[in-house]
Amino acid sequence: MAGTGHRPDKMGGYSDKVFCGLVELARTWLNDTRPKQVISGMALGWDQALAQATLDLGIPLTAAVPFDGFEVRWPLSSQKKMWKLLDLADEVHIVHPYPGSVALQIRNEWMADRAHLMLALWDGSWGGTFNCIRYARKIGRPVENLWSRWEMLQFLG
């Protein structure tokens, strides 16, 4: 399966508390379903939380990096988090040779083409997550959206 979802700004911010909540949401779903492999697009937010939960459970992780240097504009602490996840991944695939939004969409399509299911954390808004879900549905991939579970966790939290 592959994951797609929002960046931290749409999910409560960049704090460790938010990230830990995302990891716990992903870990719970992964523990219940036990996929054979997980593909993560490695962006800040849901993608990295899914990657961390995958590694926590010992499930093989494929990191689908849109382009080399994807993380260079992030704060150093965020870059280091991504590098650590990449070091622990079973496979790292650089999807496109050039930076830009085209590479992000090509990465999304690459993931959907290789997955049997897309696990989304999507609030219904337009953007990259929407584009990924739209493509996945176009090629017949089922999409499971955990947004209502995330909202409930935020409400209870």
Side-chain angles (χ1 to χ4, degrees), residues 56 65 73 95 97 110-111 124 139:
D56 291 349
V65 180
R73 294 186 179 175
V95 179
W110 187 91
M111 293 189 311
I139 64 168

Short mmCIF file of all heavy atoms in Angstrom, two decimals, residues 56 65 73 95 97 110-111 124 139:
data_model
loop_
_atom_site.label_atom_id
_atom_site.label_comp_id
_atom_site.label_asym_id
_atom_site.label_seq_id
_atom_site.Cartn_x
_atom_site.Cartn_y
_atom_site.Cartn_z
N ASP A 56 8.58 1.28 12.66
CA ASP A 56 8.32 0.85 14.04
C ASP A 56 7.78 -0.57 14.09
O ASP A 56 8.07 -1.32 15.03
CB ASP A 56 7.33 1.78 14.73
CG ASP A 56 7.88 3.16 15.02
OD1 ASP A 56 9.10 3.38 14.88
OD2 ASP A 56 7.07 4.04 15.37
N VAL A 65 11.07 9.23 -3.19
CA VAL A 65 11.50 10.62 -3.11
C VAL A 65 11.26 11.27 -4.47
O VAL A 65 11.72 10.74 -5.49
CB VAL A 65 13.00 10.70 -2.72
CG1 VAL A 65 13.47 12.13 -2.64
CG2 VAL A 65 13.24 9.96 -1.41
N ARG A 73 15.06 22.78 1.31
CA ARG A 73 14.46 24.03 1.82
C ARG A 73 13.84 23.88 3.20
O ARG A 73 13.33 24.84 3.76
CB ARG A 73 13.41 24.56 0.84
CG ARG A 73 14.01 24.98 -0.48
CD ARG A 73 12.98 25.62 -1.36
NE ARG A 73 13.60 26.03 -2.62
CZ ARG A 73 12.94 26.52 -3.61
NH1 ARG A 73 11.63 26.68 -3.54
NH2 ARG A 73 13.56 26.87 -4.72
N VAL A 95 12.32 9.39 -7.89
CA VAL A 95 11.36 9.18 -8.97
C VAL A 95 11.63 10.03 -10.21
O VAL A 95 11.39 9.58 -11.32
CB VAL A 95 9.92 9.42 -8.44
CG1 VAL A 95 8.89 9.24 -9.53
CG2 VAL A 95 9.63 8.46 -7.29
N PRO A 97 14.23 13.14 -12.24
CA PRO A 97 15.56 13.75 -12.20
C PRO A 97 15.56 15.26 -11.90
O PRO A 97 16.60 15.81 -11.55
CB PRO A 97 16.13 13.47 -13.59
CG PRO A 97 14.94 13.32 -14.47
CD PRO A 97 13.86 12.72 -13.60
N TRP A 110 3.66 7.30 -9.47
CA TRP A 110 4.56 6.16 -9.30
C TRP A 110 4.09 5.31 -8.12
O TRP A 110 4.05 4.08 -8.20
CB TRP A 110 5.99 6.67 -9.08
CG TRP A 110 7.04 5.62 -9.05
CD1 TRP A 110 7.75 5.14 -10.11
CD2 TRP A 110 7.51 4.90 -7.89
NE1 TRP A 110 8.64 4.17 -9.68
CE2 TRP A 110 8.51 4.02 -8.32
CE3 TRP A 110 7.18 4.93 -6.53
CZ2 TRP A 110 9.18 3.16 -7.46
CZ3 TRP A 110 7.86 4.08 -5.67
CH2 TRP A 110 8.85 3.21 -6.13
N MET A 111 3.74 5.97 -7.01
CA MET A 111 3.28 5.23 -5.83
C MET A 111 1.96 4.51 -6.11
O MET A 111 1.82 3.32 -5.80
CB MET A 111 3.10 6.18 -4.64
CG MET A 111 4.38 6.77 -4.13
SD MET A 111 4.22 7.69 -2.57
CE MET A 111 2.84 8.74 -2.86
N GLY A 124 -10.29 16.78 2.22
CA GLY A 124 -11.22 17.11 1.15
C GLY A 124 -10.81 18.33 0.34
O GLY A 124 -11.48 18.67 -0.64
N ILE A 139 -7.17 5.09 -11.82
CA ILE A 139 -6.59 3.80 -12.24
C ILE A 139 -7.18 2.62 -11.45
O ILE A 139 -6.69 1.51 -11.53
CB ILE A 139 -5.05 3.81 -12.15
CG1 ILE A 139 -4.57 3.99 -10.71
CG2 ILE A 139 -4.47 4.87 -13.09
CD1 ILE A 139 -3.08 3.71 -10.52
#
